[in-house]
Amino acid sequence: MEAGTLLETAGGRLTAVRTGVAAPPPGAEPLRGLTVPGLADTHSHAFHRALRGTVQRGSGTFWTWREAMYSVADRLTPDGYFELARAVYAEMALAGVTCVGEFHYLHHGPGGTPYGDPNAMGHALIAAAADAGLRITLLDTCYLASGLLTAHRGAEPDRHQLRFTDGTADAWAGRVCALRPSGDHVRVGAAIHSVRAVPAAELGTVSRWARERDAPLHVHLSEQPAENDACLAVHGRTPARLLADHGVLGPRTTAVHATHLADADIALLGGTGTGVCMCPTTERDLADGIGPAADLMRAGSPLSLGSDSHAVIDLLEEARAMELDERLRTRTRGHWTAAQLLHSATASGHAALGWPEAGRLEPGRLADFTTIALDSVRTAGPPPRLAVETAVFAATAADVRHTVVGGRHVVRDGVHRSVPDVPAALADAIGQGVRR
């Protein structure tokens, strides 16, 4: 019998990690497989899960996909969003995710009318995460314009985007300041939707709000060449340079996608220690392109991973896709080790979401971890010493056996403890709350 590792927990934290244990002590909970730190889904739009299958028909572009996304956003209510997000977060838990970064910009009612509680949609997401057993960083997103217009102001939001906007960055900050969630599973950060959606004059307000609270700050960056072209035409500089000039970049900031960057942009992100969240399954689903992840890493940017539009929810797939996409781009292999890819999916993601005490199996850290089966049809065969390589390059979300958050089982033997039928919950939430 192979020696194992004993994880001891108390008060939701790891108190000891003992290796080389010949047999579990009486009362220990066996976790058969490879147990790793809980996975962090650094970039999520929960309501995009309702698009799965419907936007994979035919052709089109990111911009035609966006119209389908708007049609879903138009129909969501706080109650419907709670049910959908609860099911989506339960799906994440089944996939080994213990913490999600929700890039949240669906704030108001139809036509932009605020709810009685201006943060009703945010509270729905926070409650959904609690019910599904996940930690959440609600990245409350400033979204003010439909595009770049002049150096001083953006184009007016269209009818779909009225639900997203607070009008000004000051009004956004006032609403977020009133968001005071309860529960130790939640932290609040900030997000700039993009340089398309937040005029340059407003960027500093969002950045300052995050800096004063030492909160994470995320931003969609250079996801599309059209964004770069418009920014160059209006501001005479790239989106990355514009963000740097307004104090947005830095170690607390995570740029999402960063697909279409100039060499100077890569140096700027790396030199400021700005993190980058890659979302390979979404980027390939939308035909966005392959971002320069390896170059960003070499420049000094920590890399994390997200499932973004939830074409699939599988952080193991995101991890290996980053390496495999780079192989396709360069026609060479071995840009990251399996351990480095796993680090991006765990410790790096938690750090980007403002949970630095998670993401490692060490005493004093949060007792958040997941166990990946090594005896499935995908993972059986390799020797134990190659367990990490097997998990990262062969396992899928279907191989997750247990997910533990704060020392408590959220998923045991592949079954979610509080949402026992996740497929039915997803089907009901999408069918009743979105497609009615």
Side-chain angles (χ1 to χ4, degrees):
M1 182 176 181
E2 294 284 341
T5 298
L6 179 66
L7 305 177
E8 297 181 4
T9 72
R13 293 193 176 247
L14 289 163
T15 56
V17 179
R18 308 186 192 282
T19 59
V21 178
E29 178 78 30
L31 303 174
R32 294 183 176 88
L34 174 66
T35 296
V36 301
L39 307 178
D41 194 333
T42 308
H43 188 68
S44 163
H45 301 292
F47 74 93
H48 290 190
R49 174 61 177 80
L51 296 168
R52 188 184 295 178
T54 66
V55 291
Q56 277 74 40
R57 297 175 297 174
S59 58
T61 66
F62 167 85
W63 307 103
T64 56
W65 170 90
R66 191 175 70 160
E67 292 304 311
M69 179 269 288
Y70 285 158
S71 71
V72 171
D74 287 344
R75 293 192 290 275
L76 280 170
T77 65
D79 288 345
Y81 205 6
F82 167 80
E83 295 294 339
L84 177 58
R86 177 177 180 265
V88 173
Y89 295 156
E91 182 182 357
M92 288 183 183
L94 289 175
V97 172
T98 57
C99 185
V100 58
E102 186 61 39
F103 199 101
H104 168 54
Y105 54 83
L106 184 50
H107 301 305
H108 306 299
T113 302
Y115 291 104
D117 170 7
N119 288 298
M121 295 295 259
H123 282 130
L125 290 164
I126 292 165
D131 265 27
L134 263 60
R135 302 188 194 277
I136 183 172
T137 297
L138 188 75
L139 297 160
D140 198 291
T141 304
C142 187
Y143 193 129
L144 306 176
S146 62
L148 290 153
L149 189 62
T150 72
H152 303 292
R153 66 186 183 91
E156 290 297 313
D158 68 24
R159 63 184 181 87
H160 303 291
Q161 296 162 341
L162 292 172
R163 296 195 71 175
F164 309 161
T165 183
D166 292 294
T168 67
D170 283 337
W172 165 85
R175 179 182 54 73
V176 183
C177 285
L179 175 62
R180 293 186 172 89
S182 60
D184 58 7
H185 76 294
V186 57
R187 291 177 184 173
V188 177
I192 292 164
H193 181 273
S194 59
V195 298
R196 290 183 287 109
V198 179
E202 309 268 20
L203 293 171
T205 299
V206 185
S207 178
R208 186 165 51 253
W209 186 95
R211 184 172 60 252
E212 289 173 351
R213 292 158 180 80
D214 197 26
L217 173 62
H218 289 215
V219 56
H220 289 134
L221 176 65
S222 293
E223 184 176 4
Q224 292 290 319
E227 175 185 312
N228 292 351
D229 295 343
C231 193
L232 286 166
V234 171
H235 294 289
R237 67 199 86 174
T238 65
R241 181 74 259 175
L242 183 69
L243 293 173
D245 290 347
H246 288 271
V248 174
L249 302 185
R252 279 190 337 276
T253 300
T254 297
V256 181
H257 300 302
T259 307
H260 303 282
L261 299 179
D263 289 346
D265 296 332
I266 294 170
L268 186 58
L269 292 169
T272 56
T274 300
V276 175
C277 177
M278 309 300 294
C279 305
T281 65
T282 291
E283 290 149 8
R284 73 190 183 198
D285 183 56
L286 297 181
D288 284 345
I290 298 171
D295 292 338
L296 285 160
M297 175 191 67
R298 286 189 287 268
S301 288
L303 301 179
S304 57
L305 298 163
S307 59
D308 190 8
S309 70
H310 310 313
V312 297
I313 294 176
D314 189 337
L315 267 290
L316 298 172
E317 173 64 20
E318 303 293 347
R320 67 172 155 267
M322 189 162 70
E323 164 69 23
L324 298 181
D325 285 355
E326 189 68 10
R327 292 182 187 184
L328 288 174
R329 190 174 75 87
T330 63
R331 291 182 289 177
T332 60
R333 304 177 74 209
H335 302 276
W336 293 273
T337 65
Q340 287 174 315
L341 294 170
L342 188 60
H343 181 86
S344 291
T346 56
S348 188
H350 282 97
L353 295 177
W355 296 87
E357 69 273 45
R360 298 178 188 272
L361 298 183
E362 299 171 350
R365 303 276 183 165
L366 290 172
D368 298 354
F369 41 88
T370 189
T371 302
I372 301 162
L374 296 176
D375 56 2
S376 76
V377 293
R378 288 165 292 276
T379 59
R385 62 185 174 80
L386 297 179
V388 174
E389 286 76 10
T390 302
V392 171
F393 285 102
T396 73
D399 295 309
V400 170
R401 185 168 281 162
H402 308 289
T403 301
V404 174
V405 179
R408 297 180 178 178
H409 271 283
V410 175
V411 172
R412 186 195 295 269
D413 293 320
V415 178
H416 198 287
R417 303 293 303 279
S418 60
V419 189
D421 192 343
V422 177
L426 286 163
D428 288 347
I430 294 170
Q432 296 177 22
V434 179
R435 291 184 185 153
R436 60 189 179 189

